[in-house]
Amino acid sequence: MEKYWQKEIETASRDEIIAIQNERLPKTVKHVYDNVPHYRAKMDEIGVKPEDIKTIDDLKKLPFSYKQDLRDTYPYGMFAVPMKDVVRLHASSGTTGKQIVVGYTQHDLDVWDEICARQLYAVGADESDMVHVSYGYGLFTGGFGLHGGASKIGATIIPVSSGNTNRQVTILKDFRSTILCCTPSYAMFIGETLKQMGIDKSEICLKAGIFGAEPWTDEMRMQIEEMLGIKAYDVYGLTEVMGPGVCYGCSAQNGMHVNEDHFIIEVINPETGEVLPDGEQGEIVFTSLTKEAFPIIRYRTRDIGVVTRGTCECGRTFAKMSKPRGRTDDMLIIRGVNVFPSQIETVLIRCGYTANYLILVDRVNNLDTVEVKVEMTDEAFTDSMTELTKRERTLHEELKSLLGISAKVTLVPPRSIERSTGKAVRVIDKRKLI
C-alpha cells in the first residue's frame, strides 16, 4: 500500500517539480508538433517551433487550445498516435455540440489509474475498503476513472453506476460500502433517499465520499457530510485533459492538489489571456506532460478558480487548485451583473435550505428577469401562504444583498424539482431560446 503514497514526488520541492516539468514539456510539444496537424498548423501560424520550448517559462509562447478545436477535428484529428496503439476511447456528452472524443494508450490508462489511486489514498482508502462507484460508466470518464484507481490500491470495487437510487441505498447498506464516488448533487439525492427509506446514516458504513464533475460549494459539502455521516472530498478532471484525478482533495479539505508531474496548471485572465500570479482568480488552463494518445496543450477549461503553492498541512507540495467557483460559460450576465449559480447556492444553504434549486432566466419587455425556485425540506414545509410569503421575502433580500440584483423567489414543496443522477441542471436560460 505504501507505493500509492508516492511521497518522493508528492512532497518534492518546488525545484524538483519544476525540473520534472522542464524535462517533460519539450518532449510533449515535439510529440504534438510531429503527430497532430492541428497543433503543427497553430504553432506554424505564430512562428513557434518545438525547439523554442525549452522550459516551462516558454509555455506562454504556445497557443491556447479550445473545446471548439476538439469538435472541429472530430473524431480522431487530435490523436497523436496511430489508432492501433489506442486501447480505449471516452467521450464527452456532446449536449452542446459534437462529442469530444479522446483516446488512451495503455500507458495513459496506467497513469490515470495511478493518479486516481493517489486521490483514494489521500482520503484514507486502502485495500480493505469497499469503493461504491456511482459515477456513470460508459463513454463518460467518471466511472472508469475511480474504478481504475480503486483497482490500483487493491480495494473492492462496487461498480453500481448511476440511477435506481433506492437500489443504490440498499447496496450501500447491504454491501457495507465505505467510499462513495459520484456527483455532489447525486450524493444529496442519495442522502434524501436514505431518509425516505427510513434508514439512519448510522446503519451504513460510509466514511468518505469523492465528489466532482460539477461545481459545488463548501456549504453543500457540509450538508452532504451531515446527511451521510462522512467526510466529503473534491476530485477534479475533464474528459479533454484525462478524466477525474487531474487534481485531488486531501485531508485538509481546502483545495485540490494538481498532479504536477503529469499536468501544468495556469490561471489566466479569461478576457485577455494574460497569465495571472498565484492567488488571483481566473480561468484554469491545463497542459499535459505524459499523455501519449491525446496530449493537450494550454487547454482552456472555462472553469474559474485560484491556484496557490506551498506545503499543505497534509505534507504534499503539489500546487493546489481551489474548488471551481463556476464556469465562464455558466456565468449569467443579468442586467449587467455577473452571477454564478454557486453564489445563489451559498445563500440558500446558509439560510437553511437544501441545494435543490432551479434558476429561471428570461427577458420580458427587454428586461432580464430571474426566478429562483427553492425546495423546502420536509421539516420546514408549510402551506401557509402568510408564512411562505414571509420566507420568500427574507430570501429575496438575502439574494439581493449578495448579488446586487433583484430575483423572484418561489418556495416549492420537497422533492418537486427533478433530480439528476449525473450532472445537475441548475439553470434554464430562456433568453438563449429567443
Side-chain angles (χ1 to χ4, degrees):
M1 185 60 202
E2 185 65 25
K3 62 183 176 180
Y4 299 113
W5 165 225
Q6 297 175 319
K7 185 175 181 179
E8 183 177 346
I9 179 58
E10 292 184 75
T11 64
S13 69
R14 180 52 38 189
D15 286 345
E16 289 171 321
I17 292 170
I18 290 173
I20 292 170
Q21 294 180 334
N22 283 343
E23 176 191 354
R24 292 178 173 178
L25 177 62
K27 293 178 181 177
T28 292
V29 173
K30 184 172 183 352
H31 180 50
V32 300
Y33 187 86
D34 289 346
N35 296 290
V36 184
H38 173 83
Y39 281 122
R40 184 162 59 250
K42 294 268 282 191
M43 289 174 63
D44 286 348
E45 186 180 334
I46 60 174
V48 176
K49 298 294 183 184
E51 52 267 28
D52 297 326
I53 310 301
K54 297 179 174 62
T55 72
I56 59 172
D57 291 334
D58 297 319
L59 188 62
K60 59 182 178 291
K61 297 177 182 178
L62 294 168
F64 291 115
S65 300
Y66 300 85
K67 180 167 282 190
Q68 191 58 46
D69 296 332
L70 279 56
R71 290 187 176 129
D72 291 345
T73 54
Y74 172 90
Y76 306 137
M78 297 291 276
F79 285 25
V81 298
M83 288 304 296
K84 67 180 179 61
D85 296 332
V86 175
V87 299
R88 191 193 297 170
L89 297 175
H90 279 287
S92 67
S93 62
T95 54
T96 57
K98 281 187 177 179
Q99 287 185 307
I100 303 304
V101 181
V102 300
Y104 301 78
T105 63
Q106 187 56 55
H107 169 267
D108 294 334
L109 292 181
D110 292 342
V111 169
W112 194 13
D113 289 351
E114 177 183 287
I115 61 179
C116 284
R118 289 178 185 175
Q119 162 77 86
L120 285 155
Y121 184 86
V123 307
D126 60 26
E127 66 274 11
S128 67
D129 278 293
M130 312 282 284
V131 180
H132 185 111
V133 182
S134 292
Y135 285 111
Y137 281 73
L139 289 177
F140 175 60
T141 56
F144 279 101
L146 273 302
H147 184 115
S151 178
K152 194 80 169 175
I153 67 172
T156 301
I157 305 164
I158 309 173
V160 188
S161 195
S162 56
N164 200 338
T165 309
N166 282 24
R167 177 172 172 266
Q168 294 264 357
V169 169
T170 299
I171 291 172
L172 278 173
K173 182 174 181 289
D174 294 350
F175 290 20
R176 298 189 292 278
S177 311
T178 57
I179 309 289
L180 174 63
C181 306
C182 62
T183 62
S185 56
Y186 194 51
M188 289 279 295
F189 191 13
I190 288 174
E192 292 174 352
T193 305
L194 201 71
K195 184 177 178 181
Q196 291 166 24
M197 294 175 67
I199 301 173
D200 189 80
K201 62 186 177 185
S202 64
E203 297 179 58
I204 60 175
C205 299
L206 286 180
K207 64 181 184 181
I210 296 174
F211 307 126
E214 63 188 21
W216 56 307
T217 61
D218 284 329
E219 289 78 12
M220 188 173 178
R221 177 206 302 280
M222 291 184 283
Q223 201 167 58
I224 291 171
E225 290 184 335
E226 172 58 30
M227 293 175 81
L228 296 177
I230 63 173
K231 285 289 187 181
Y233 299 94
D234 292 275
V235 65
Y236 177 87
L238 303 91
T239 301
E240 303 94 311
V241 179
M242 175 67 89
V246 174
C247 310
Y248 61 101
C250 66
S251 57
Q253 291 183 293
N254 62 359
M256 293 170 283
H257 294 285
V258 182
N259 282 298
E260 290 191 278
D261 50 337
H262 299 292
F263 308 99
I264 298 174
I265 188 170
E266 300 173 274
V267 178
I268 65 168
N269 180 319
E271 301 298 326
T272 66
E274 172 198 4
V275 178
L276 300 176
D278 290 353
E280 288 198 22
Q281 178 172 292
E283 182 182 347
I284 302 296
V285 173
F286 278 107
T287 297
S288 65
L289 291 172
T290 55
K291 289 182 70 180
E292 293 179 339
F294 195 88
I296 198 84
I297 301 293
R298 301 197 83 193
Y299 183 71
R300 294 186 59 161
T301 66
R302 299 300 183 189
D303 285 318
I304 300 296
V306 173
V307 171
T308 55
R309 288 177 170 84
T311 301
C312 178
E313 61 188 72
C314 75
R316 292 173 177 82
T317 53
F318 282 161
K320 290 181 84 170
M321 171 184 155
S322 69
K323 185 193 295 289
R325 299 177 180 181
R327 291 176 58 83
T328 57
D329 47 6
D330 283 346
M331 184 179 74
L332 299 166
I333 301 177
I334 300 170
R335 300 195 285 277
V337 177
N338 296 344
V339 176
F340 287 102
S342 58
Q343 293 175 293
I344 293 175
E345 182 178 298
T346 295
V347 173
L348 299 182
I349 296 178
R350 284 179 181 172
C351 291
Y353 296 91
T354 71
N356 297 313
Y357 62 95
L358 189 61
I359 304 166
L360 304 171
V361 186
D362 207 343
R363 180 164 290 140
V364 178
N365 296 326
N366 297 316
L367 180 68
D368 291 339
T369 64
V370 186
E371 179 182 5
V372 183
K373 290 189 174 182
V374 185
E375 273 192 10
M376 290 178 282
T377 61
D378 288 313
E379 295 79 7
F381 176 71
T382 178
D383 56 4
S384 164
M385 290 304 298
T386 301
E387 181 62 23
L388 279 174
T389 300
K390 178 182 175 182
R391 293 183 191 177
E392 288 171 348
R393 186 182 301 118
T394 299
L395 204 46
H396 170 272
E397 292 302 321
E398 291 288 339
L399 288 170
K400 186 176 182 180
S401 175
L402 174 70
L403 304 177
I405 61 169
S406 182
K408 178 184 177 182
V409 175
T410 304
L411 293 175
V412 299
R415 294 173 293 283
S416 59
I417 294 176
E418 185 178 355
R419 301 296 192 270
S420 171
T421 58
K423 296 184 181 183
V425 177
R426 300 296 193 198
V427 180
I428 297 177
D429 192 342
K430 296 180 181 177
R431 297 174 301 178
K432 299 174 182 177
L433 303 179
I434 295 175

